[in-house]
Amino acid sequence: MSGTFARLRVRLALLLGAAEIHLRLRLPRLMWALTRRPAAAPTAPFAELVRIESDPVYRALFCAELDAALDDRLATRTAMVEEIEAAAERLKALIGHGDHGRAA
């Protein structure tokens, strides 16, 4: 009797596995919605700050990346200001010459 029950359990497991594969192929969004996912591990609110303060190597890396990001932002803003100033000069030149048809 236990041999028959074991074969039945194996067949049922194989059947459920095949049904899952079929559903995943036919209805991927539904299967994604029904799939259990582990909850995100809660992080301490100031874990990054604590690491920056306690690890000198990580602090140096963080400060270097921060400086690079600030330099990039400053360079982007400087380039934008230069473009705006150049456009303003072109606009002043067009207005000064009275060539309004070319501005459009």
Side-chain angles (χ1 to χ4, degrees), residues 8-67:
L8 182 62
R9 282 183 24 201
V10 168
R11 285 184 180 177
L12 182 61
L14 290 173
L15 179 66
L16 289 174
E20 179 185 2
I21 291 170
H22 181 73
L23 286 174
R24 284 190 186 279
L25 293 174
R26 298 289 181 194
L27 306 168
R29 289 184 181 173
L30 176 64
M31 291 306 292
W32 181 84
L34 294 176
T35 302
R36 295 182 72 191
R37 286 175 290 286
T43 58
F46 298 107
E48 184 77 10
L49 183 59
V50 169
R51 184 171 178 199
I52 290 169
E53 290 177 347
S54 63
D55 186 0
V57 174
Y58 189 74
R59 182 184 317 129
L61 177 64
F62 178 81
C63 289
E65 289 177 354
L66 182 61
D67 288 342

Side-chain angles (χ1 to χ4, degrees), residues 65-81:
E65 289 177 354
L66 182 61
D67 288 342
L70 290 173
D71 289 341
D72 287 345
R73 190 169 90 176
L74 179 63
T76 302
R77 286 186 175 185
T78 303
M80 187 180 300
V81 167

Side-chain angles (χ1 to χ4, degrees), residues 90 93-94 97-104:
R90 286 193 304 269
L94 286 174
H97 289 336
D99 191 8
H100 300 293
R102 211 173 78 184

